[in-house]
Amino acid sequence: MTTSEGRGAAPAGSVCVIGLGPGDPRYVTPAAAAALAEADDLIGYAPYVARVPERPGLTRHASDNRVEVERARHALELAAQGRRVAVVSGGDPGVFAMAAALFEALDGGDPAWLRLAITVEPGITAMLAAAARAGAPLGGDFCAISLSDNLKPWDVITARLEAVLRADLVIALYNPISRARPWQLGAALGLAAEHRAPETPVILARAIGRPDEAVRILTLAEARDAPADMATLVIIGAAATRLVERPDAPPFVYTPRRVEAAR
């Protein structure tokens, strides 16, 4: 429902939430690069802000992790002053990232913010970059789940994992493990082992597009003891996920598009 209440001249400022992709500057879209070039202010988590080259006329506002909504409010406040603001995220800003935080700040915030020009420029999210390195593991139905319980209870995460494991979807796991959350990935893989065969392919893709990139293709049984960190994206295959072995290179991983009807 729309009303005329609060209508007036739109502020001159704007906010664009921009996906920087997985790390390699080649994966930044031309539209994202153009939006960065037009910005007066750059806002984001410090490592992402550092990925954007400095230039005259650009004011940088780097901040720590876990202050996403505060960061979003800052962007909206600057835009309300007439600034052109770029808010940067790694990967795609709409996948467990800053776009949702911005709209959370907008929802119930200063009514004047509703008249701002707000746009989102997509980027290549981690699961797509990881899948491309490994082959086509997301070729069939899949889902993405964040293992971070900072913003949702762990029992909600396990209930969702149970549901998608029963549905036999390929699963991309974001935020799998950290120093503050050292056990969640092992618990998730243990739960997967109750539903899927030990030889199910699992991809651990770390820092895709960066100099320290590493991709490991393991079985579900092997993955439970494999090291990982917050830069790792984990893909758990479905029952139909296959390996294409190669003589002098790691195998390709793919999930067929065709699904046979249940009997």
Side-chain angles (χ1 to χ4, degrees):
M1 181 176 69
T2 61
T3 70
S4 59
E5 183 179 352
R7 286 183 180 175
S14 63
V15 179
C16 186
V17 192
I18 298 172
L20 298 178
D24 191 317
R26 296 176 303 169
Y27 296 147
V28 177
T29 70
L36 287 170
E38 295 172 356
D40 301 312
D41 293 85
L42 180 69
I43 290 181
Y45 178 38
Y48 301 145
V49 169
R51 285 167 52 182
V52 178
E54 295 190 23
R55 62 169 171 80
L58 180 65
T59 302
R60 303 156 74 88
H61 307 268
S63 53
D64 199 359
N65 204 4
R66 295 195 184 186
V67 292
E68 290 90 349
V69 176
E70 293 87 344
R71 190 182 298 146
R73 291 193 186 105
H74 185 203
L76 292 163
E77 288 165 356
L78 287 172
Q81 297 167 19
R83 309 285 291 178
R84 295 171 297 178
V85 183
V87 180
V88 291
S89 279
D92 181 276
V95 180
F96 306 122
M98 276 304 300
L102 185 99
F103 292 114
E104 182 180 341
L106 184 67
D107 186 10
D110 187 335
W113 294 346
L114 297 172
R115 298 196 300 272
L116 291 168
I118 298 174
T119 55
V120 179
E121 287 296 344
I124 299 174
T125 189
M127 68 179 177
L128 300 183
R133 285 289 192 269
L138 306 181
D141 294 333
F142 65 89
C143 76
I145 294 178
S146 171
L147 289 188
S148 173
D149 58 357
N150 290 328
L151 298 176
K152 59 181 182 286
W154 179 250
D155 59 356
V156 170
I157 297 172
T158 55
R160 292 175 178 178
L161 281 170
E162 285 272 12
V164 297
L165 286 164
R166 288 194 300 271
D168 196 25
L169 301 179
V170 174
I171 306 172
L173 297 177
Y174 282 73
N175 305 314
I177 195 168
S178 70
R179 291 180 182 176
R181 301 181 294 100
W183 55 269
Q184 278 90 337
L185 178 58
L189 292 172
L191 187 60
E194 297 176 11
H195 295 264
R196 300 197 176 166
E199 63 272 16
T200 300
V202 175
I203 301 161
L204 285 87
R206 185 185 185 282
I208 298 299
R210 289 177 253 170
D212 55 342
E213 173 181 315
V215 178
R216 289 168 289 162
I217 299 170
L218 308 173
T219 66
L220 179 55
E222 295 168 334
R224 294 185 67 176
D225 297 320
D229 59 16
M230 278 291 285
T232 305
L233 188 284
V234 180
I235 298 177
I236 304 173
T241 303
R242 305 276 191 271
L243 296 182
V244 180
E245 298 288 353
R246 297 188 286 170
D248 300 311
F252 288 123
V253 185
Y254 81 102
T255 302
R257 296 169 298 158
R258 184 182 301 276
V259 177
E260 300 296 335
R263 296 183 179 179

